[in-house]
Amino acid sequence: MKYFLRHPFKALKAYLPKSLFGRSLLILLAPLFLVETISAYVFFDNHWDNVTKTLANTIAGDVATIVALYNTLPEEESFYKFLAGTHLKLRTDFIPEETIPTSLPENSRDSFLDIALKKQVLTPYTFEITPKEIIIKAAVDGGILEFTTPRKRLYSKSFSLFIMWVAGTSAFFLLVASLFMHNQVKPLRRLAIAADRFGKGRSFPDFKPEGATEIRKVTKAFLGMRDRLHRQLTQRMDMLAGVSHDLRTPLTRMRLQLAMMPPSIEAEGLQKDVEEMSNMLEGYLMFARGEGLEESRDTDMSELLIDAIESRAQPEKTVHYTQLSLPVFCVKPQALKRCLMNLINNAARYGNEVWINTFTDNDFFTISVEDDGPGIPEEKTEEVFKPFFRLDPSRNMATGGVGLGLTIARDIAQSHGGEIKLAPSKEHGGLRASLVLPY
Ligand SMILES: Nc1ncnc2c1ncn2[C@@H]1O[C@H](COP(=O)(O)OP(=O)(O)OP(=O)(O)O)[C@@H](O)[C@H]1O
Ligand SMILES: [Mg+2]
């Protein structure tokens, strides 16, 4: 409540619709509702009072006339009764010996009818308004006259009829408007879904720009952007693959020439370098080949994870993992398997045992791979993602690979809209590498 008083607009915002459709509808509905209520209240309340006043005056006039006639010529009673019944819609009954109570019932005092009767009927009177009829009693010589007339004579029906018409037609047009509005919002919603899928590296069906000009423009710009990005990506990959491939031939030639040279320390060193270079090229080629071409499809993460664990490079190392049923994701299964394998291979290579866990929350799905190895110092957690970067500067092939594993893993995670996070493993002392994927 305090918050509401201090920030009324912010607090109100929490209750307002969030979607474009809801907001547009509210913008349409709010003025309509206000105009109708104000006009109904100001104009028709006034008008209705006037109409009721006039009708009350007519009834009072009719009653006063009959009462006056009765008091002057009581012997002509049946004639007035006849006149009142046929022309004034007043049924008249004479009740002898009865008197009028001195005060009116509380709820009828000061109503329009009371005011009108007071003005025109000069004898004591009383009246009662039932759901169907109005019964007025007035004192005359020797008894009272009771007049009964339909309630319709006092209350005009047009007011409620008017309200019903206005509300009914407004509701109808609002329904029509909301249908049109829904169609206007549809292309925007589709664009949002496509953009979301694109960000997560999933494919989406091609669609035509539709709807309002602005939305069409945004859709066109988005589709153009997607095509340009696609082109850029394939171009980059093609170039990379081309360079790596072309370098292979001279490298092979060098390796052959080295093999034919007489053995020496220099030749041995050179041979190691050539070996490392060809390993790097292989890694590059694998990276370039795998990316971009694969299509996303619904994949059971549990099966994918088991597959990655079973295909690890060092099957003799223990992997602790309790199989759970995991969600199905729309991903590139080959690429994602490679990403997971890189993390698992690292953990197995630099540690003795591997622990794998999965976490699910509202926005993200996480697979964490932990080991009991030396871990990665905090200041190096960014650097290890660089291509060919290794913590061990000797680049000894026995202690590590070419240094592309994490680069590739991050690239794959990001192409799925996700991320690779590195942190020290609290439980096992080594590294904790997590693959985080958005839902
Ligand atoms: N689980 C880990 N524990 C300790 N250090 C690690 C771990 N994972 C990676 N590193 C360090 O980060 C460096 C980069 O890892 P990355 O996977 O990119 O390359 P790599 O394992 O050396 O070679 P590749 O994976 O290409 O065969 C590694 O050389 C290693 O020094
Ligand atoms: Mg690696």
Side-chain angles (χ1 to χ4, degrees):
M1 192 63 206
K2 243 186 190 168
Y3 178 77
F4 194 89
L5 289 178
R6 214 174 310 145
H7 307 282
F9 288 110
K10 262 192 212 164
L12 201 65
K13 233 179 177 175
Y15 294 100
L16 292 178
K18 301 271 182 300
S19 68
L20 179 64
F21 177 66
R23 286 185 178 195
S24 329
L25 220 56
L26 186 71
I27 291 170
L28 201 78
L29 192 66
L32 195 75
F33 180 74
L34 279 179
V35 165
E36 275 180 13
T37 337
I38 292 173
S39 69
Y41 185 75
V42 175
F43 180 67
F44 281 94
D45 193 49
N46 206 338
H47 173 75
W48 200 48
D49 278 1
N50 281 338
V51 170
T52 315
K53 223 185 271 176
T54 317
L55 290 176
N57 275 330
T58 349
I59 297 177
D62 293 351
V63 169
T65 315
I66 306 291
V67 169
L69 278 173
Y70 190 88
N71 280 340
T72 19
L73 297 164
E75 63 278 10
E76 299 287 354
E77 185 201 332
S78 54
F79 180 54
Y80 314 140
K81 266 191 189 170
F82 168 73
L83 275 185
T86 46
H87 297 298
L88 305 176
K89 286 211 179 72
L90 278 178
R91 203 179 71 224
T92 318
D93 295 299
F94 177 68
I95 309 167
E97 311 284 323
E98 212 173 299
T99 51
I100 298 286
T102 41
S103 65
L104 281 176
E106 185 75 33
N107 59 356
S108 20
R109 243 179 279 154
D110 289 331
S111 65
F112 287 126
L113 187 58
D114 184 32
I115 295 167
L117 287 171
K118 209 180 277 167
K119 240 191 316 192
Q120 306 199 44
V121 182
L122 303 173
T123 58
Y125 65 87
T126 181
F127 67 93
E128 189 189 343
I129 300 171
T130 68
K132 280 213 160 139
E133 295 175 321
I134 303 168
I135 303 158
I136 304 170
K137 294 177 181 166
V140 287
D141 298 337
I144 59 167
L145 274 181
E146 188 183 83
F147 302 94
T148 314
T149 186
R151 194 186 152 98
K152 271 202 302 238
R153 273 202 67 185
L154 186 58
Y155 295 110
S156 104
K157 252 194 191 160
S158 60
F159 181 68
S160 43
L161 214 66
F162 168 80
I163 294 289
M164 257 154 54
W165 262 100
V166 166
T169 45
S170 303
F172 174 72
F173 285 119
L174 200 73
L175 191 80
V176 175
S178 67
L179 282 180
F180 277 100
M181 193 80 82
H182 187 78
N183 278 344
Q184 285 301 309
V185 177
K186 212 157 70 181
L188 203 60
R189 208 175 284 151
R190 199 170 45 188
L191 183 62
I193 293 172
D196 184 57
R197 290 187 69 93
F198 184 57
K200 290 174 183 165
R202 297 172 194 168
S203 59
F204 56 88
D206 241 339
F207 57 90
K208 261 201 341 238
E210 269 176 13
T213 330
E214 290 86 348
I215 300 178
R216 259 171 223 251
K217 266 190 191 159
V218 176
T219 314
K220 252 187 215 158
F222 170 73
L223 291 177
M225 182 186 78
R226 178 199 61 174
D227 293 343
R228 268 197 305 282
L229 272 174
H230 242 297
R231 256 200 316 273
Q232 235 170 29
L233 203 73
T234 20
Q235 214 170 14
R236 192 189 72 165
M237 286 300 171
D238 284 353
M239 201 181 83
L240 213 60
V243 170
S244 313
H245 191 264
D246 289 352
L247 281 178
R248 248 179 171 178
T249 329
L251 261 180
T252 318
R253 233 177 3 240
M254 274 162 85
R255 204 189 283 148
L256 277 176
Q257 277 168 351
L258 274 170
M260 287 195 294
M261 269 162 83
S264 69
I265 299 173
E266 289 87 358
E268 210 172 291
L270 256 171
Q271 198 150 14
K272 261 195 188 149
D273 283 346
V274 168
E275 211 55 52
E276 196 186 330
M277 270 174 81
S278 67
N279 273 340
M280 284 167 143
L281 274 184
E282 277 313 313
Y284 242 155
L285 263 176
M286 273 222 319
F287 173 47
R289 231 180 279 137
E291 279 299 299
L293 300 170
E294 201 184 350
E295 279 291 321
S296 296
R297 60 183 156 89
D298 283 341
T299 312
D300 184 343
M301 293 310 268
S302 159
E303 274 172 29
L304 189 88
L305 187 53
I306 295 284
D307 193 10
I309 293 171
E310 278 168 3
S311 334
R312 66 188 184 275
Q314 291 164 284
E316 69 280 5
K317 296 268 175 99
T318 321
V319 173
H320 302 273
Y321 169 62
T322 6
Q323 193 177 351
L324 299 167
S325 81
L326 298 178
V328 170
F329 268 82
C330 182
V331 292
K332 298 174 183 154
Q334 286 303 323
L336 209 67
K337 180 183 163 191
R338 197 133 74 97
C339 168
L340 282 170
M341 261 170 68
N342 285 347
L343 299 184
I344 296 167
N345 284 344
N346 278 354
R349 180 187 278 155
Y350 303 106
N352 289 314
E353 287 178 60
V354 185
W355 289 265
I356 295 177
N357 285 300
T358 53
F359 310 93
T360 317
D361 69 18
N362 279 345
D363 302 322
F364 298 104
F365 171 67
T366 308
I367 299 176
S368 78
V369 182
E370 293 178 75
D371 62 66
D372 51 0
I376 295 178
E378 185 144 12
E379 67 277 9
K380 292 276 198 290
T381 44
E382 219 8 75
E383 258 173 293
V384 288
F385 286 109
K386 286 183 184 158
F388 302 118
F389 180 88
R390 285 179 48 179
L391 285 182
D392 171 18
S394 75
R395 308 204 60 84
N396 186 344
M397 279 298 161
T399 59
V402 288
L404 271 179
L406 284 176
T407 318
I408 294 172
R410 174 186 256 186
D411 197 77
I412 293 170
Q414 285 178 345
S415 77
H416 285 89
E419 194 42 89
I420 300 284
K421 289 195 175 138
L422 299 180
S425 161
K426 286 197 194 88
E427 254 176 81
H428 309 291
L431 183 76
R432 178 199 164 104
S434 323
L435 164 68
V436 184
L437 289 176
Y439 268 110

